[in-house]
Amino acid sequence: MADWEPAFRALLASRGGALRSYAYLLTGDASTAGDLVQEALTRVFSRRRIGGDVNELEAYVRRAMLNQYIDSRRRLRRWNATRHLLVDVPHHDDDRLAVADEVRRALATLSPKQRACVVLRYYEDLPVTEIAGELGCAEGTVKRHLADARAKLATQLGVTEESTP
Amino acid sequence: MTDLQDLLRATAAEGSNTVDLAEDAVANRIRHRRTRSQRLTVVGTALVAAAVIAGTTWAVHPGDGHPPTASGPSAAAVPPRIVTSDYAGPSGMEALLVATLTADANGCVRAQAGQSEVTLVWPRGYTVRGDSQSFEILDAIGKVVARSGVRISIGGGGADRFQNTWTGRECATGGRLWMVGGISARR
């Protein structure tokens, strides 16, 4: 077994679920989420020197996923603007699945950076300062993205401004 | 359920189990890339050795006494120009390009790798100073990261097409586009 492989297996064993959830919330689609995690893992572990610290490796993989998500969403923007004309969005009668669908649909109306800010702030629980660092932008920009995203989500999901600090 | 945090957690829990990590397939892909990277390193080393030998020969027989220029002694000096991305960070891609920076007749900075020329897409905030025959690339905080005529290793990867959000479209006149990641001097 190559020297990078134990760290790779340990990362997936301990943090695979968290990486799956993160990718799923960013992309809203299991297949695209799978591609996102796989490509990020490939990029990080293809580097010449790999440390063995799982937390550090997870941070690298998350950063790679975020960069890749924002870059790829730019390329997909045109496609997404017309996709709804071509395919039917699946509909679920089960309440739990219906809520998840509703959230995915609402998240899909956000711009890539707004969506990333929402996931980092409200799912990963990161403070605005750290989100700004992750996205390479000013804190004010993050706050603006969050405010815009909250306004959109408030309408679609019925979440209140008070419940989304 | 009106709390956004709860909604996101419920959505993640619902969908994440269907996300396939394809652990073994990814491990195979990593193995393949690492092997390819090692081969590139060997080729790069050979190129450096060739450059050192060529440099030594030039030092012993310096020709007409002029220092090496970026685009040859006949090119008129015009302001150099670069293509920049709208993203401030490095590209995040991991491929390696070993090349020398040159500028064409219009001042557009390119990477000369063997017989082929590649248009480089630098991160947002990068600038160039000097003229087309001798120039320096500076990062967003003004630190020199590369110079013309010097062989360097450019991390990054190819881009499919020129994006509307990039600057310097006039310099993307066909050929390959390379999103610049890390830069290091070849020794």
Side-chain angles (χ1 to χ4, degrees):
Chain A
M1 194 181 276
D3 54 353
W4 57 271
E5 208 164 335
F8 173 77
R9 303 284 179 191
L11 174 68
L12 290 195
S14 61
R15 304 301 300 156
L19 293 174
R20 278 194 189 102
S21 298
Y22 184 50
Y24 185 76
L25 281 179
L26 283 178
T27 62
D29 160 56
S31 165
T32 315
D35 290 346
L36 185 70
V37 189
Q38 290 169 28
E39 182 55 29
L41 287 166
T42 306
R43 284 184 185 183
V44 169
F45 282 90
S46 296
R47 290 177 183 167
R48 201 175 298 170
R49 292 185 193 83
I50 299 293
D53 184 333
V54 169
N55 291 332
E56 206 170 75
L57 288 169
E58 184 188 359
Y60 288 145
V61 173
R62 280 172 183 266
R63 173 64 69 90
M65 285 164 66
L66 188 61
N67 289 342
Q68 197 185 321
Y69 162 71
I70 287 173
D71 285 349
S72 66
R73 292 294 292 189
R74 278 196 197 113
R75 288 194 287 271
L76 284 173
R77 198 178 296 156
R78 197 173 301 164
W79 158 244
N80 280 340
T82 53
R83 185 171 63 167
H84 66 284
L85 302 172
L86 307 174
V87 294
D88 290 331
V89 180
H91 176 77
H92 294 287
D93 291 328
D94 179 304
D95 276 355
R96 231 162 14 106
L97 293 176
V99 168
D101 274 349
E102 208 177 318
V103 174
R104 281 196 302 120
R105 274 199 207 101
L107 288 174
T109 64
L110 305 180
S111 75
K113 287 206 172 169
Q114 285 173 351
R115 184 169 181 150
C117 286
V118 165
V119 173
L120 292 170
R121 179 73 190 92
Y122 298 110
Y123 182 70
E124 296 294 330
D125 222 12
L126 293 188
V128 168
T129 321
E130 282 184 36
I131 298 172
E134 288 287 325
L135 293 173
C137 62
E139 284 180 38
T141 309
V142 173
K143 286 178 186 167
R144 199 190 66 227
H145 284 320
L146 285 171
D148 293 346
R150 276 200 303 262
K152 282 187 192 172
L153 296 176
T155 319
Q156 298 175 73
L157 298 174
V159 288
T160 60
E161 291 290 318
E162 288 75 27
S163 69
T164 55
Chain B
M1 198 184 329
T2 56
D3 186 79
L4 185 53
Q5 229 160 19
D6 290 342
L7 286 173
L8 291 176
R9 290 202 175 121
T11 306
E14 204 56 57
S16 64
N17 287 339
T18 56
V19 177
D20 182 12
L21 295 183
E23 189 169 332
D24 290 330
V26 173
N28 280 335
R29 209 185 306 161
I30 294 166
R31 254 177 237 119
H32 176 74
R33 283 205 192 175
R34 291 178 72 91
T35 307
R36 196 178 53 183
S37 169
Q38 280 165 358
R39 284 184 192 146
L40 276 173
T41 305
V42 171
V43 172
T45 308
L47 284 171
V48 170
V52 168
I53 292 167
T56 308
T57 308
W58 183 85
V60 174
H61 305 287
D64 58 4
H66 293 297
T69 59
S71 50
S74 59
V78 295
R81 293 184 288 176
I82 57 173
V83 176
T84 57
S85 152
D86 56 334
Y87 179 59
S91 71
M93 291 185 272
E94 297 286 335
L96 181 68
L97 174 69
V98 177
T100 305
L101 297 188
T102 63
D104 65 15
N106 297 317
C108 293
V109 172
R110 302 196 194 286
Q112 181 86 44
Q115 294 302 308
S116 65
E117 283 194 338
V118 179
T119 300
L120 298 172
V121 183
W122 299 88
R124 189 182 71 209
Y126 276 49
T127 53
V128 57
R129 72 180 176 200
D131 58 47
S132 59
Q133 296 192 21
S134 175
F135 56 85
E136 292 175 328
I137 307 286
L138 295 90
D139 66 13
I141 57 167
K143 185 181 151 205
V144 174
V145 293
R147 290 190 172 86
S148 56
V150 178
R151 199 162 186 82
I152 52 175
S153 298
I154 311 170
D160 298 336
R161 70 176 75 87
F162 192 93
Q163 304 291 319
N164 289 332
T165 48
W166 297 352
T167 67
R169 177 178 285 280
E170 65 280 4
C171 286
T173 51
R176 289 167 61 202
L177 290 165
W178 184 269
M179 306 290 294
V180 175
I183 298 274
S184 57
R186 304 293 304 187
R187 292 177 197 282

